[in-house]
Amino acid sequence: PIRIASLRLPAMTGIEKGLTKRRGRLKGVDIRPGSVRRARSESGLSLAGVAGQDLTRAAIHLIETGRSRPSMPTLELIASRTGKPLSYFLAPSQEPATAVIAARIDEVELLLQTNRFQLAIALGQRVIGEAGIPAALAHLHLWIGIAMLRSDRRGPGREHLARARHLFSDLDNRLMGLEAADWEGAALIADGDAAAMPLLEEALAACRQLVPVPAGLESRLLGRLAQHHALQQDWDRAVALYQAALEPVSEGQELTRQARHQESMAAAYAAAGEVARATAYTNRALAIHQVLSERTAAAALRSRLGYALLKQGALEEAERHLTDALGRLRELGGEGGTGDAILGLGELRLAQGRVADAREMVGQATELARRFQQPLNAALAEMLSGRLAADQGAATEADERFERAITMLHGLGARDRLIECRTAFAEVLERRGDTKGALSQAKLALAASRPGSGAAAATAADQPDAKAGPPGD
């Protein structure tokens, strides 16, 4: 099997080396009687499904019947395969500190699942200094890395995700190692780093070697690869990968309300000092949020597929997917996640000649970007506003919009989007008859697409006359 940890690993700290060093047979831990069998039954897995390629069915059977105590890495593997947190299995006789750490890790994950990223980062960084086992460290690095990535702190987020990938691999927990690789790939894509492609392709190959193949993870990896090809404007490949990534989404009822109720109960028991009950309610809330997360991810994939179809010129199919994605996201209550679908519909309306509808969509996307602090969507809305202004003959407004979008995209380090924006600006200038300005923007777009050209592109982006010609030329 492919070991994902062989890819682009950062140096480990002395503490982590000491924690992950193997010293003979690992000590077994006490677990709650019947917890492994119960978890397997609830997840619908067979003995072979839990064992995978890492353990034997006999080993799982002995653990289930209490005739063998699992090591912490083995228990962590069982937890990840059955979708249960570590605290679900740990017996009350375990060291109190271990149970407390497990409960805090659950709390970090819950904060992450409910989009409270700064709180998740702050708590995770406090707990990580107390975590004394590699499994705990690995999960904390993963949750912190995801929270940082989702709050636009990609640099430090990538470091945490790579470290999580390394630790999970050392624990032979391939599933969670691939989860970390998936998010690290997302960070690399956002940075325009060419290393995203080999990392994600190798992760996808390793994912397909797992028994059983985790369909949700496979779908996300396919979606990441599709996003990479879309940014390269390889629309045929992007569409094919998006279509492969889409899966049916199970419908839930009042899931958000149920999750909030479970969170409230967890908070109440935690305040009363009843850690076990607080953890139980936390776990229930996490399970609900996991379902919501999968449904949201599928809707986002549908939105990206719609955009890729739009770029192919398949307007009718694009409209169907974008409209469906927007409806699903609104139904899930994730208003902040609707920006991509709304921007896609805005561009679609422009292509259909429905200018008033396009302006309305851009206005909605701009307002959402402001409310939910989404700088990339704000920049893309400016770019689309520039195209709208150009089509209406408002040259000065178009130039101002494009220049603002270029400045914002450069500040975000969004190289692929910056290239797209400069290319669109060049087309607008060429149609206007400003050949000199169009050539300037085309050259800057070409320079930005070449490795090591960031400095040149940045200098040009900061110059007010980068258009190289007055608006009326």
Side-chain angles (χ1 to χ4, degrees):
I2 296 169
R3 291 179 63 86
I4 293 300
S6 65
L7 302 171
R8 297 171 56 83
L9 292 176
M12 295 181 71
T13 65
I15 293 174
E16 286 174 346
K17 287 178 180 176
L19 286 171
T20 57
K21 186 176 180 181
R22 303 296 178 87
R23 295 182 178 178
R25 184 179 178 85
L26 295 174
K27 180 182 177 181
V29 296
D30 292 329
I31 60 174
R32 296 178 187 275
S35 59
V36 173
R37 186 192 297 275
R38 209 162 40 245
R40 179 171 65 81
S41 175
E42 290 176 3
S43 66
L45 294 175
S46 64
L47 287 170
V50 175
Q53 298 174 342
D54 307 278
L55 303 167
T56 64
R57 287 178 295 174
I60 299 298
H61 177 69
L62 290 172
I63 293 169
E64 285 190 353
T65 55
R67 286 181 281 173
S68 174
R69 293 195 307 163
S71 66
M72 189 58 77
T74 295
L75 186 60
E76 178 60 36
L77 188 66
I78 293 170
S80 66
R81 292 241 167 95
T82 58
K84 299 290 186 183
L86 199 61
S87 57
Y88 178 89
F89 302 95
L90 291 174
S93 60
Q94 279 297 121
E95 289 292 328
T98 303
V100 170
I101 291 295
R104 287 183 179 176
I105 292 173
D106 286 345
E107 187 178 351
V108 173
E109 185 181 4
L110 180 58
L111 290 169
L112 174 63
Q113 294 278 10
T114 53
N115 299 329
R116 290 173 281 185
F117 304 128
Q118 298 308 321
L119 290 174
I121 293 167
L123 178 59
Q125 289 177 328
R126 286 202 305 273
V127 178
I128 208 166
E130 306 168 18
I133 56 175
L137 275 173
H139 269 96
L140 285 167
H141 279 299
L142 177 61
W143 303 147
I144 293 169
I146 294 172
M148 286 182 167
L149 177 59
R150 296 189 65 185
S151 55
D152 292 324
R153 293 170 60 184
R154 294 197 299 270
R158 278 173 59 177
E159 293 177 9
H160 281 285
L161 292 167
R163 208 170 294 284
R165 175 163 52 85
H166 188 118
L167 287 167
F168 280 126
S169 180
D170 189 76
L171 292 164
D172 290 328
N173 189 335
R174 289 179 238 178
L175 179 60
M176 293 306 295
L178 290 169
E179 290 280 353
D182 170 53
W183 283 99
E184 189 182 352
L188 290 166
I189 288 172
D191 286 338
D193 194 320
M197 191 71 168
L199 174 66
L200 290 168
E201 285 182 335
E202 192 166 351
L204 179 61
C207 175
R208 286 171 168 170
Q209 292 178 8
L210 296 177
V211 181
V213 175
L217 176 59
E218 182 185 28
S219 176
R220 277 185 278 127
L221 288 165
L222 284 165
R224 305 281 192 215
L225 286 166
Q227 185 182 4
H228 173 82
H229 284 290
L231 289 170
Q232 301 302 313
Q233 299 190 25
D234 183 353
W235 302 113
D236 290 341
R237 184 65 178 147
V239 166
L241 285 165
Y242 278 133
Q243 288 174 331
L246 276 170
E247 293 183 338
V249 182
S250 60
E251 296 296 330
Q253 295 182 348
E254 300 181 331
L255 289 175
T256 302
R257 183 187 62 79
Q258 291 178 35
R260 287 174 182 165
H261 172 71
Q262 303 296 337
E263 291 166 28
S264 299
M265 295 297 291
Y269 279 116
E274 296 189 38
V275 176
R277 289 192 178 184
T279 301
Y281 279 104
T282 296
N283 294 340
R284 292 173 194 171
L286 283 173
I288 295 171
H289 281 295
Q290 186 63 42
V291 174
L292 288 169
S293 176
E294 291 298 333
R295 294 175 68 199
T296 302
L301 274 174
R302 195 173 295 279
S303 173
R304 294 189 186 115
L305 171 59
Y307 186 76
L309 288 165
L310 168 62
K311 291 298 184 180
Q312 280 189 322
L315 302 189
E316 188 174 330
E317 276 291 290
E319 181 166 15
R320 183 170 67 83
H321 285 288
L322 288 167
T323 303
D324 183 66
L326 183 58
R328 287 173 184 263
L329 289 165
R330 283 175 171 164
E331 178 187 327
L332 290 166
E335 188 182 10
T338 60
D340 288 349
I342 290 172
L343 281 169
L345 282 169
E347 189 165 341
L348 175 70
R349 298 298 179 233
L350 179 59
Q352 293 171 329
R354 296 165 57 179
V355 176
D357 290 342
R359 284 191 183 280
E360 182 182 348
M361 290 293 182
V362 172
Q364 289 181 29
T366 301
E367 174 60 18
L368 286 170
R370 182 192 64 79
R371 282 172 52 204
F372 293 96
Q373 299 181 359
Q374 299 168 333
L376 179 59
N377 278 358
L380 296 177
E382 286 288 346
M383 178 173 66
L384 191 50
S385 294
R387 290 178 55 191
L388 279 164
D391 282 3
Q392 296 298 300
T396 300
E397 181 189 352
D399 294 348
E400 290 173 351
R401 295 279 193 178
F402 273 111
E403 285 164 2
R404 272 203 296 272
I406 286 169
T407 300
M408 294 165 74
L409 291 168
H410 172 250
L412 292 169
R415 187 191 65 177
D416 294 293
R417 293 297 197 175
L418 180 60
I419 294 168
E420 180 185 347
C421 186
R422 288 196 182 280
T423 302
F425 195 13
E427 291 171 357
V428 164
L429 293 169
E430 186 177 17
R431 286 199 304 270
R432 190 190 300 167
D434 183 359
T435 306
K436 185 178 179 182
L439 182 60
S440 174
Q441 289 298 325
K443 285 181 177 178
L444 289 168
L446 180 61
S449 68
R450 292 172 176 165
S453 63
T459 302
D462 292 336
Q463 293 176 357
D465 62 342
K467 180 173 60 67
D473 284 356

mmCIF file of all heavy atoms in Angstrom, residues 8 10 145 148-149 153-163 183-184 187-188 191 193 195:
data_model
loop_
_atom_site.group_PDB
_atom_site.id
_atom_site.type_symbol
_atom_site.label_atom_id
_atom_site.label_comp_id
_atom_site.label_asym_id
_atom_site.label_seq_id
_atom_site.Cartn_x
_atom_site.Cartn_y
_atom_site.Cartn_z
ATOM 1 N N ARG A 8 6.451 14.962 1.014
ATOM 2 C CA ARG A 8 6.619 16.333 1.497
ATOM 3 C C ARG A 8 6.452 16.481 3.000
ATOM 4 O O ARG A 8 5.659 17.269 3.499
ATOM 5 C CB ARG A 8 5.639 17.262 0.787
ATOM 6 C CG ARG A 8 5.851 17.345 -0.697
ATOM 7 C CD ARG A 8 4.742 18.104 -1.377
ATOM 8 N NE ARG A 8 4.578 19.432 -0.806
ATOM 9 C CZ ARG A 8 5.307 20.496 -1.132
ATOM 10 N NH1 ARG A 8 6.246 20.404 -2.042
ATOM 11 N NH2 ARG A 8 5.078 21.669 -0.572
ATOM 12 N N PRO A 10 7.298 17.642 6.791
ATOM 13 C CA PRO A 10 8.102 18.601 7.535
ATOM 14 C C PRO A 10 8.893 17.865 8.599
ATOM 15 O O PRO A 10 8.557 16.743 8.978
ATOM 16 C CB PRO A 10 7.037 19.502 8.173
ATOM 17 C CG PRO A 10 5.868 18.607 8.359
ATOM 18 C CD PRO A 10 5.904 17.648 7.198
ATOM 19 N N GLY A 145 -5.409 22.195 11.813
ATOM 20 C CA GLY A 145 -5.060 22.495 10.421
ATOM 21 C C GLY A 145 -6.278 22.820 9.577
ATOM 22 O O GLY A 145 -6.266 23.771 8.784
ATOM 23 N N MET A 148 -7.622 26.261 10.573
ATOM 24 C CA MET A 148 -6.780 27.329 10.028
ATOM 25 C C MET A 148 -7.013 27.501 8.529
ATOM 26 O O MET A 148 -7.102 28.624 8.027
ATOM 27 C CB MET A 148 -5.305 27.025 10.304
ATOM 28 C CG MET A 148 -4.896 27.245 11.741
ATOM 29 S SD MET A 148 -3.127 26.929 12.005
ATOM 30 C CE MET A 148 -2.911 27.645 13.637
ATOM 31 N N LEU A 149 -7.130 26.379 7.816
ATOM 32 C CA LEU A 149 -7.371 26.454 6.381
ATOM 33 C C LEU A 149 -8.696 27.144 6.096
ATOM 34 O O LEU A 149 -8.786 28.002 5.200
ATOM 35 C CB LEU A 149 -7.364 25.043 5.793
ATOM 36 C CG LEU A 149 -7.679 24.901 4.304
ATOM 37 C CD1 LEU A 149 -6.696 25.700 3.463
ATOM 38 C CD2 LEU A 149 -7.655 23.434 3.887
ATOM 39 N N ARG A 153 -5.891 30.844 7.018
ATOM 40 C CA ARG A 153 -4.518 30.819 7.540
ATOM 41 C C ARG A 153 -3.845 29.577 6.956
ATOM 42 O O ARG A 153 -3.537 28.612 7.644
ATOM 43 C CB ARG A 153 -4.528 30.797 9.062
ATOM 44 C CG ARG A 153 -5.072 32.082 9.677
ATOM 45 C CD ARG A 153 -5.312 31.950 11.176
ATOM 46 N NE ARG A 153 -4.098 31.628 11.900
ATOM 47 C CZ ARG A 153 -4.063 31.386 13.216
ATOM 48 N NH1 ARG A 153 -5.185 31.454 13.921
ATOM 49 N NH2 ARG A 153 -2.935 31.088 13.823
ATOM 50 N N ARG A 154 -3.625 29.627 5.627
ATOM 51 C CA ARG A 154 -3.203 28.423 4.918
ATOM 52 C C ARG A 154 -1.796 27.977 5.269
ATOM 53 O O ARG A 154 -1.534 26.782 5.352
ATOM 54 C CB ARG A 154 -3.309 28.650 3.402
ATOM 55 C CG ARG A 154 -4.734 28.831 2.918
ATOM 56 C CD ARG A 154 -4.825 28.638 1.417
ATOM 57 N NE ARG A 154 -4.035 29.591 0.678
ATOM 58 C CZ ARG A 154 -4.470 30.762 0.253
ATOM 59 N NH1 ARG A 154 -5.712 31.146 0.520
ATOM 60 N NH2 ARG A 154 -3.695 31.579 -0.441
ATOM 61 N N GLY A 155 -0.882 28.928 5.458
ATOM 62 C CA GLY A 155 0.506 28.554 5.737
ATOM 63 C C GLY A 155 0.640 27.677 6.969
ATOM 64 O O GLY A 155 1.070 26.514 6.885
ATOM 65 N N PRO A 156 0.286 28.196 8.154
ATOM 66 C CA PRO A 156 0.370 27.353 9.354
ATOM 67 C C PRO A 156 -0.575 26.168 9.299
ATOM 68 O O PRO A 156 -0.281 25.101 9.847
ATOM 69 C CB PRO A 156 -0.006 28.312 10.497
ATOM 70 C CG PRO A 156 -0.688 29.467 9.854
ATOM 71 C CD PRO A 156 -0.115 29.581 8.480
ATOM 72 N N GLY A 157 -1.712 26.317 8.616
ATOM 73 C CA GLY A 157 -2.637 25.197 8.492
ATOM 74 C C GLY A 157 -2.009 24.031 7.763
ATOM 75 O O GLY A 157 -2.170 22.867 8.153
ATOM 76 N N ARG A 158 -1.269 24.320 6.695
ATOM 77 C CA ARG A 158 -0.596 23.255 5.942
ATOM 78 C C ARG A 158 0.407 22.512 6.817
ATOM 79 O O ARG A 158 0.546 21.284 6.714
ATOM 80 C CB ARG A 158 0.119 23.854 4.728
ATOM 81 C CG ARG A 158 -0.780 24.090 3.546
ATOM 82 C CD ARG A 158 -0.078 24.826 2.433
ATOM 83 N NE ARG A 158 1.104 24.132 1.934
ATOM 84 C CZ ARG A 158 1.848 24.554 0.919
ATOM 85 N NH1 ARG A 158 1.512 25.663 0.286
ATOM 86 N NH2 ARG A 158 2.890 23.875 0.506
ATOM 87 N N GLU A 159 1.108 23.232 7.684
ATOM 88 C CA GLU A 159 2.096 22.584 8.556
ATOM 89 C C GLU A 159 1.416 21.606 9.511
ATOM 90 O O GLU A 159 1.901 20.485 9.722
ATOM 91 C CB GLU A 159 2.860 23.649 9.342
ATOM 92 C CG GLU A 159 3.745 24.532 8.468
ATOM 93 C CD GLU A 159 4.428 25.634 9.271
ATOM 94 O OE1 GLU A 159 4.339 25.587 10.519
ATOM 95 O OE2 GLU A 159 5.041 26.525 8.654
ATOM 96 N N HIS A 160 0.292 22.019 10.082
ATOM 97 C CA HIS A 160 -0.441 21.121 10.989
ATOM 98 C C HIS A 160 -0.965 19.902 10.239
ATOM 99 O O HIS A 160 -0.905 18.774 10.742
ATOM 100 C CB HIS A 160 -1.599 21.868 11.647
ATOM 101 C CG HIS A 160 -1.203 22.737 12.794
ATOM 102 N ND1 HIS A 160 -0.880 22.229 14.040
ATOM 103 C CD2 HIS A 160 -1.056 24.079 12.894
ATOM 104 C CE1 HIS A 160 -0.557 23.225 14.861
ATOM 105 N NE2 HIS A 160 -0.657 24.357 14.191
ATOM 106 N N LEU A 161 -1.490 20.105 9.029
ATOM 107 C CA LEU A 161 -2.056 18.997 8.261
ATOM 108 C C LEU A 161 -0.980 17.998 7.846
ATOM 109 O O LEU A 161 -1.190 16.781 7.914
ATOM 110 C CB LEU A 161 -2.784 19.542 7.031
ATOM 111 C CG LEU A 161 -4.053 20.343 7.337
ATOM 112 C CD1 LEU A 161 -4.514 21.107 6.102
ATOM 113 C CD2 LEU A 161 -5.155 19.418 7.841
ATOM 114 N N ALA A 162 0.182 18.497 7.440
ATOM 115 C CA ALA A 162 1.276 17.595 7.064
ATOM 116 C C ALA A 162 1.766 16.803 8.276
ATOM 117 O O ALA A 162 2.071 15.609 8.175
ATOM 118 C CB ALA A 162 2.422 18.401 6.456
ATOM 119 N N ARG A 163 1.806 17.460 9.436
ATOM 120 C CA ARG A 163 2.240 16.763 10.651
ATOM 121 C C ARG A 163 1.211 15.695 11.055
ATOM 122 O O ARG A 163 1.574 14.604 11.483
ATOM 123 C CB ARG A 163 2.452 17.777 11.784
ATOM 124 C CG ARG A 163 3.495 17.313 12.787
ATOM 125 C CD ARG A 163 3.853 18.422 13.756
ATOM 126 N NE ARG A 163 4.518 19.538 13.117
ATOM 127 C CZ ARG A 163 5.788 19.551 12.722
ATOM 128 N NH1 ARG A 163 6.517 18.462 12.873
ATOM 129 N NH2 ARG A 163 6.322 20.614 12.178
ATOM 130 N N TRP A 183 -7.187 17.343 3.013
ATOM 131 C CA TRP A 183 -7.226 18.757 3.397
ATOM 132 C C TRP A 183 -5.929 19.479 3.039
ATOM 133 O O TRP A 183 -5.941 20.651 2.651
ATOM 134 C CB TRP A 183 -7.511 18.881 4.893
ATOM 135 C CG TRP A 183 -8.954 18.658 5.214
ATOM 136 C CD1 TRP A 183 -9.542 17.518 5.669
ATOM 137 C CD2 TRP A 183 -10.008 19.611 5.032
ATOM 138 N NE1 TRP A 183 -10.889 17.700 5.798
ATOM 139 C CE2 TRP A 183 -11.209 18.965 5.428
ATOM 140 C CE3 TRP A 183 -10.056 20.926 4.601
ATOM 141 C CZ2 TRP A 183 -12.444 19.617 5.393
ATOM 142 C CZ3 TRP A 183 -11.285 21.568 4.565
ATOM 143 C CH2 TRP A 183 -12.458 20.915 4.958
ATOM 144 N N GLU A 184 -4.808 18.770 3.149
ATOM 145 C CA GLU A 184 -3.539 19.389 2.739
ATOM 146 C C GLU A 184 -3.563 19.692 1.248
ATOM 147 O O GLU A 184 -3.065 20.728 0.794
ATOM 148 C CB GLU A 184 -2.376 18.457 3.087
ATOM 149 C CG GLU A 184 -1.007 19.091 2.915
ATOM 150 C CD GLU A 184 0.127 18.135 3.214
ATOM 151 O OE1 GLU A 184 -0.119 17.013 3.703
ATOM 152 O OE2 GLU A 184 1.283 18.505 2.936
ATOM 153 N N ALA A 187 -5.346 22.871 0.657
ATOM 154 C CA ALA A 187 -4.509 24.037 0.951
ATOM 155 C C ALA A 187 -3.531 24.304 -0.184
ATOM 156 O O ALA A 187 -3.287 25.458 -0.566
ATOM 157 C CB ALA A 187 -3.750 23.820 2.266
ATOM 158 N N LEU A 188 -2.955 23.244 -0.750
ATOM 159 C CA LEU A 188 -2.009 23.400 -1.853
ATOM 160 C C LEU A 188 -2.705 23.974 -3.087
ATOM 161 O O LEU A 188 -2.144 24.820 -3.785
ATOM 162 C CB LEU A 188 -1.372 22.047 -2.187
ATOM 163 C CG LEU A 188 -0.399 21.483 -1.145
ATOM 164 C CD1 LEU A 188 -0.110 20.019 -1.421
ATOM 165 C CD2 LEU A 188 0.897 22.285 -1.132
ATOM 166 N N ASP A 191 -3.186 27.615 -2.715
ATOM 167 C CA ASP A 191 -1.924 28.346 -2.876
ATOM 168 C C ASP A 191 -1.390 28.276 -4.301
ATOM 169 O O ASP A 191 -0.331 28.844 -4.598
ATOM 170 C CB ASP A 191 -0.859 27.785 -1.919
ATOM 171 C CG ASP A 191 -1.100 28.204 -0.485
ATOM 172 O OD1 ASP A 191 -1.793 29.220 -0.278
ATOM 173 O OD2 ASP A 191 -0.605 27.529 0.431
ATOM 174 N N ASP A 193 -0.128 25.678 -5.659
ATOM 175 C CA ASP A 193 1.088 24.869 -5.572
ATOM 176 C C ASP A 193 0.931 23.620 -6.443
ATOM 177 O O ASP A 193 -0.029 22.856 -6.287
ATOM 178 C CB ASP A 193 1.339 24.482 -4.117
ATOM 179 C CG ASP A 193 2.740 23.942 -3.889
ATOM 180 O OD1 ASP A 193 3.238 23.186 -4.742
ATOM 181 O OD2 ASP A 193 3.348 24.283 -2.846
ATOM 182 N N ALA A 195 2.357 20.937 -6.233
ATOM 183 C CA ALA A 195 2.449 19.693 -5.464
ATOM 184 C C ALA A 195 1.079 19.116 -5.139
ATOM 185 O O ALA A 195 0.978 17.966 -4.713
ATOM 186 C CB ALA A 195 3.218 19.940 -4.168
#
